[in-house]
Amino acid sequence: MPTSHRLGLLGNPDFRRLFAATALGQLGDRIIFLTLPLVAIATLHADEFQVGLLTATTTAGSLLVGLPAGAWVDRMRKRTVLIGSDLLRAAALLTIPLAWWADLLSVRLLYAVALLHGVLTVFFDVAHVSYLPHLVGRDKLVEGNAKLSAIRSVTSIGGPAVAGPLVGLVGAPATLLASSAGMTMSGLFAATIRRREETPEPGPSPRLGREIKEGLHFVLRHPALRAIMISDALFNLSLVMYQTMLLVFLERTMGLEPFGIGLVLSGMGCGALLGALTATTLAKRIGQRPVIWLTTLATCPLALLMPLARPGWTLYGGAVGLAALSLGGVVRVVAQSSLQQSLTPDRLLGRMAATARFVSSGGVPLGGLMGGASGAAFGATATLWIGAAGMTLSAVPAFLWWHAARNRPSCGCSRRSGSGGGTPSVSCPACGGRP
């Protein structure tokens, strides 16, 4: 068998460069996930509500620029957006260790950096989702998403494993130097991608408001895309509530040091890696559409093992629950991302990604605030219970869409073949179905 066939998309030099850029950028991002809250918790001694507010600020970019980001990205070359957003994020993160060394570090500065980083991340993620179909073709989207999810999962293991010892050795603020370096290298690798996009043609009415409205209209009227977004919104809100108090629970209730917290989060990365490696197989055997809600329903209840844990051996059970949660999350994301990309015309990919992110992640800042408020009122353990229950219930909208759509095209069109198989009798411009 030729080597290029065995490697699949990794035999494509440009995809390898995107793969490397994703690995380095995600490594930096996973270090931030552990380190930025620890700067607030351990260095600045922030209370539970301040930690929740920091989480909300980190994710507020989706609300601030979520919709216009899609219209702007659709007007630009996606590769340029990837490079610029990576380098600007790296520069923003550098301000935290510099302020720490100058004895100027404050919670307010953390909020400002978290907000700027979050805004730039919106542009990066929208461009990344929009760029993949151009780079690999629509027939290889599942493979491309699975491979990129696999490397993200590896960094989910390596990021906390690297960050934990670094925090213990040099402190949380200085550890952010590693995040800045990873994002700088990510931008440089993206700059080496040789394949160039054509400059997008402006639409018939190149007005920002009309372009945003067109993207919203397309996504919100599409039954499959709409159901996925609602499920995502519920899942993300509940997940952020859970994550906001997870570090507080591990550090203050379980008494773990940064190295131990890093090991627990690395276990989540192991589950995510297993999910990425099995996502393609599961999507083929179960079906790309039912796997979206089945994995949520099967794995999210296991997140309850963490709040049931106590110092000692039961912590291992909690770590297994987190690993299962990550496994299901990655399988779901690979399946639904590929479905979203395949159902969207090229000229609307940026707006689809931005609209999906805006709707599904718009509640994330609220989740951070709710997690902080719940932690302050009821404690970290109770908040983990609430978050796990919410994540499990998020499967309902996707299940209802799948159940209603089993005998009709996902676009909702009424054209059927004479055989009664539920497929369009002619080519449908919305779903691309054929008899």
Side-chain angles (χ1 to χ4, degrees):
M1 183 181 297
T3 302
S4 60
H5 184 76
R6 293 198 304 268
L7 291 176
L9 281 175
L10 289 177
N12 180 329
D14 279 341
F15 182 79
R16 284 202 304 270
R17 295 181 181 104
L18 180 65
F19 186 83
T22 302
L24 290 163
Q26 286 294 311
L27 179 62
D29 202 50
R30 298 312 296 175
I31 293 174
I32 295 170
F33 174 76
L34 173 64
T35 306
L36 197 61
L38 284 179
V39 174
I41 295 169
T43 304
L44 298 175
H45 307 290
D47 60 31
E48 284 84 355
F49 184 76
Q50 287 175 315
V51 175
L53 185 58
L54 178 63
T55 302
T57 306
T58 303
T59 55
S62 294
L63 288 177
L64 294 176
V65 299
L67 292 177
W72 286 327
V73 168
D74 275 339
R75 297 177 181 179
M76 298 181 284
R77 291 186 174 96
K78 280 62 173 182
R79 172 179 164 275
T80 303
V81 179
L82 294 176
I83 297 167
S85 56
D86 261 339
L87 296 180
L88 289 172
R89 288 191 296 174
L93 290 172
L94 273 178
T95 62
I96 293 178
L98 291 176
W100 177 59
W101 285 325
D103 200 24
L104 297 174
L105 186 60
S106 66
V107 174
R108 289 184 179 180
L109 178 62
L110 288 187
Y111 293 156
V113 172
L115 180 61
L116 178 58
H117 182 273
V119 168
L120 292 169
T121 298
V122 171
F123 282 92
F124 178 88
D125 288 347
V126 170
H128 198 277
V129 171
S130 308
Y131 189 52
L132 188 63
H134 165 79
L135 194 65
V136 305
R138 292 175 176 268
D139 58 326
K140 296 182 179 178
L141 282 173
V142 174
E143 180 189 354
N145 281 312
K147 281 183 165 59
L148 293 175
S149 292
I151 195 59
R152 291 189 190 101
S153 303
V154 171
T155 59
S156 295
I157 302 168
V162 169
L166 276 178
V167 170
L169 183 64
V170 300
T175 301
L176 288 173
L177 286 171
S179 295
S180 180
M183 290 185 176
T184 300
M185 293 299 296
S186 174
L188 295 177
F189 264 103
T192 66
I193 295 175
R194 295 180 179 178
R195 184 172 181 179
R196 298 291 187 266
E197 303 166 83
E198 296 291 334
T199 302
E201 293 289 336
S205 301
R207 296 180 182 178
L208 184 63
R210 290 189 179 184
E211 291 175 342
I212 292 173
K213 184 178 179 180
E214 184 182 13
L216 278 169
H217 187 266
F218 172 76
V219 175
L220 295 179
R221 290 193 63 184
H222 198 297
L225 300 181
R226 184 175 64 243
I228 287 171
M229 283 192 304
I230 295 172
S231 284
D232 252 5
L234 295 174
F235 180 87
N236 290 336
L237 185 145
S238 303
L239 176 64
V240 171
M241 285 187 66
Y242 190 96
Q243 289 178 329
T244 298
M245 286 299 107
L246 178 60
L247 291 180
V248 176
F249 176 82
L250 293 174
E251 204 254 357
R252 295 178 179 171
T253 303
M254 303 300 290
L256 295 183
E257 298 294 331
F259 180 74
I261 295 174
L263 287 179
V264 171
L265 297 183
S266 293
M268 292 182 69
C270 292
L273 176 59
L274 182 59
L277 295 176
T278 58
T280 303
T281 301
L282 289 173
K284 288 179 179 178
R285 292 189 177 180
I286 299 175
Q288 187 180 21
R289 302 179 184 203
V291 81
I292 292 172
W293 61 267
L294 271 173
T295 50
T296 300
L297 200 59
T299 59
C300 287
L302 297 176
L304 291 171
L305 293 174
M306 182 54 75
L308 288 171
R310 296 295 179 268
W313 68 269
T314 55
L315 179 60
Y316 296 110
V320 170
L322 294 181
L325 176 66
S326 295
L327 185 154
V330 169
V331 172
R332 176 180 62 86
V333 167
V334 168
Q336 72 183 31
S337 296
S338 303
L339 181 62
Q340 288 170 318
Q341 290 163 332
S342 66
L343 292 173
T344 306
D346 285 343
R347 67 182 188 85
L348 290 172
L349 278 168
R351 278 167 283 177
M352 179 279 294
T355 302
R357 184 185 176 93
F358 179 81
V359 175
S360 65
S361 300
V364 169
L366 177 61
L369 292 173
M370 290 174 62
S374 176
F378 309 115
T381 304
T383 304
L384 296 184
W385 278 87
I386 296 170
M391 287 186 284
T392 303
L393 292 173
S394 72
V396 172
F399 167 76
L400 292 176
W401 154 71
W402 171 81
H403 180 73
R406 281 186 299 175
N407 294 317
R408 71 171 186 266
S410 64
C411 64
C413 71
S414 58
R415 302 176 218 179
R416 307 296 177 89
S417 65
S419 63
T423 57
S425 58
V426 296
S427 176
C428 172
C431 69
R434 287 175 172 79

